[in-house]
DNA sequence: CGTAAGGTTGACATTCCTCAATCCAGGTGG
DNA sequence: CCACCTGGATTGAGGAATGTCAACCTTACG
């Protein structure tokens, strides 16, 4: 789903910093804000100086809820999840972080999510204090960040609509189409298949469903030849039109 | 819906620009970012010059989805809702805007929500272009705005957790406690009662429920003497402790 | 009074969740 | 190489929470 309006040069990291749901965009394409251009050259250079590259293995927590917000991170490689927990253990996955995404920027002094590596990751880590300095010296950088946060906000609001008003099937199909926008195998034509490196539980917690419901719906889609599942973590979109139709709110389709 | 109880506020806008849910805060109090200070004096003065005061009657749309994002607004008096619509008519209320709240700031060129006045409102309207100028000349202003947007983001993410993982009763009790943090009658001790100037349908669309469910739960809470409902739009919190307990995820309490 | 609009209540349907059994792929040790 | 184990994923049966549809009530207002 190419952003015709926005395929502007996106400097170092190929993936848009803020991954947008193709589906949510398709609901009202003309209303989406343009993806961020990366910060201007000098700010970008500045960033490079104040950051350091770190690697973390699968399963490791990068940030814990309540940690002092000392660092801001940018994903170079891998995949992470941001998690909120309720006292009784219910879990909600706020977002997944893909290469190019920033995370850990908190206006307050403490992190509000736990962030865990879903696979082994490489990250750039920036000191928050230095970032503030950078913003003071390069006002552009602050503006870029504002755009980033604003985009994340509208993304979260789309997700609110989804959780508040969409059925399980609509949520899952939206999710699959969103995942298909991420680069998978470079040899593959993007959008033809989706990689799901996260567990079914992660998907469920992201969509406000249970693992079992996700699993059942996957099976249903498979039986109807809308998708194929060569492995549990690869989804081939056999019938994209059907997926789009289902995601775009035709509620009653595709009965068991 | 009677306009009579609509908050009558003084010009200085005492309410925090970003109203936070007491409950959501109570889930993890130490993680919340501090409420925003209002912009520094010069930026504030700058704001005053580039804005104009407007009034709109109950029911009027201030912004329509897809409108060019020419203006940014700040609520002086009254109450509004930001709405997202699905093609088939399902509706979701993203947020309510109370006195002091900003809205309509879009990083993109078009508004992504429809915003409607729930009661008659007074607004300050700022030209987006002028606001950008202001941010250039007063970098502080940009920083303030960043904080504002960031706060809205974490608010939206809390709401995601709620829609994704909380029961209907938990959502409603959270909502009531949130509403009780808003100034109502100045003579009243704040927090003892909540005004609900919005309709049951608005509440339902905000909480991802149906009108009927909201209504039934209200009745249940009333029967259990947790709240009283002298009128449909005034909720007296008879037993705040119980409300907090219910909101904080004791799922099985208070059966019909 | 009478009407209209929002709110409440009830009966019933449906979706999704819960709990539990089973499957399957990948790793491990014999 | 194969049996075994393990953890995630799938499937099934049954139930609870919430939605749907429709009737009824309440209030505001002409």
């Amino acid at each position: 789903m190419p952003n015709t309006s926005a395929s502007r040069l996106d400097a170092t990291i190929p993936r848009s910093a803020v991954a947008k749901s193709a589906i949510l965009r398709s609901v009202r394409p003309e209303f989406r804000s343009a993806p961020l251009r990366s910060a201007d050259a000098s700010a970008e250079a500045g960033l490079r100086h104040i950051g350091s590259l770190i690697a973390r293995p699968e399963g490791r927590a990068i940030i814990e809820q309540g940690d002092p917000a000392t660092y801001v991170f940018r994903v170079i490689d891998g995949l992470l999840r941001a998690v909120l927990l309720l006292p009784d253990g219910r879990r909600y996955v706020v977002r997944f972080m893909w290469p190019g995404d920033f995370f850990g920027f908190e206006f307050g002094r403490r992190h509000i999510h736990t962030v865990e590596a879903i696979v082994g990751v490489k990250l750039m880590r920036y000191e928050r204090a230095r970032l503030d300095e950078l913003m003071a010296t390069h006002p552009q950088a602050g503006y870029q960040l504002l755009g980033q946060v604003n985009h994340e906000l509208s993304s979260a609001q789309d997700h609110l609509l989804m959780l508040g008003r969409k059925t399980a099937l609509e949520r899952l199909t939206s999710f699959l189409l969103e995942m298909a926008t991420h680069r998978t195998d470079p040899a593959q034509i993007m959008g033809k298949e989706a990689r799901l490196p996260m567990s079914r539980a992660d998907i469920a917690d992201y969509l406000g469903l249970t693992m079992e419901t996700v699993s059942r719906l996957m099976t249903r889609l498979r039986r109807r030849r809308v998708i194929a599942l060569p492995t549990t973590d690869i989804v081939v979109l056999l019938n994209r039109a059907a997926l789009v139709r289902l995601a775009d709110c035709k509620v009653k389709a595709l009965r068991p």
Side-chain angles (χ1 to χ4, degrees), chain A:
Chain A
M1 189 128 316
N3 292 318
T4 50
S5 61
S7 299
R8 323 216 10 189
L9 51 151
D10 201 348
T12 49
I13 297 195
R15 280 232 6 80
S16 157
V18 271
K20 266 313 297 177
S21 149
I23 277 329
L24 294 176
R25 211 159 40 211
S26 87
V27 169
R28 42 184 218 282
E30 67 284 22
F31 307 147
R32 314 307 316 168
S33 51
L36 274 200
R37 299 170 301 281
S38 58
D40 65 90
S42 59
E44 190 75 61
L47 254 188
R48 209 165 295 133
H49 286 126
I50 65 177
S52 58
L53 185 67
I54 65 174
R56 293 290 181 269
E58 177 179 340
R60 176 72 56 82
I62 315 303
I63 289 175
E64 298 270 7
Q65 244 183 31
D67 280 356
T70 317
Y71 297 108
V72 176
F73 302 85
R74 189 178 197 188
V75 185
I76 302 302
D77 190 37
L79 178 65
L80 306 96
R81 63 174 170 253
V83 175
L84 286 177
L85 288 168
L86 249 29
D88 62 357
R90 277 175 289 175
R91 197 181 79 133
Y92 182 72
V93 171
V94 177
R95 60 185 276 228
F96 296 106
M97 280 84 85
W98 298 84
D101 288 353
F102 281 94
F103 65 92
F105 179 84
E106 312 296 350
F107 205 75
R109 283 184 305 279
R110 299 190 168 274
H111 289 296
I112 58 178
H113 314 121
T114 294
V115 174
E116 296 153 338
I118 289 177
V119 299
V121 294
K122 291 201 191 95
L123 306 170
M124 285 299 288
R125 187 180 67 185
Y126 309 101
E127 280 179 44
R128 173 66 200 280
R130 298 261 196 109
L131 199 67
D132 283 347
E133 278 172 34
L134 182 69
M135 281 198 291
T137 51
H138 301 262
Q140 270 299 322
Y143 198 69
Q144 297 290 341
L145 188 53
L146 179 58
Q148 160 92 14
V149 175
N150 197 70
H151 200 274
E152 245 185 82
L153 176 61
S154 82
S155 192
Q157 290 173 338
D158 283 336
H159 209 72
L160 281 174
L161 170 66
M162 183 157 106
L163 294 186
R165 285 287 172 250
K166 288 197 182 183
T167 66
L169 183 59
E170 289 167 341
R171 296 183 207 183
L172 183 64
T173 47
S174 298
F175 177 75
L176 291 179
L177 285 162
E178 180 181 335
M179 289 303 106
T181 64
H182 289 128
R183 179 191 300 291
T184 59
D185 188 342
Q188 271 286 343
I189 298 141
M190 203 165 90
K192 279 290 178 191
E193 71 172 40
R195 300 275 170 142
L196 308 180
M198 67 294 280
S199 71
R200 293 289 188 266
D202 283 341
I203 297 173
D205 285 339
Y206 181 65
L207 298 177
L209 302 169
T210 59
M211 205 175 61
E212 291 92 333
T213 299
V214 169
S215 193
R216 274 185 253 272
L217 292 177
M218 288 279 200
T219 308
R220 204 144 110 205
L221 290 169
R222 182 160 50 71
R223 292 232 175 89
R224 302 297 171 118
R225 323 271 160 189
V226 177
I227 61 172
L229 288 166
T231 72
T232 47
D233 62 348
I234 296 183
V235 178
V236 182
L237 312 189
L238 299 177
N239 188 344
R240 167 178 277 270
L243 271 181
V244 170
R245 203 168 345 105
L246 292 170
D248 257 350
C249 317
K250 293 295 173 296
V251 193
K252 296 295 184 181
L254 207 78
R255 279 296 161 68

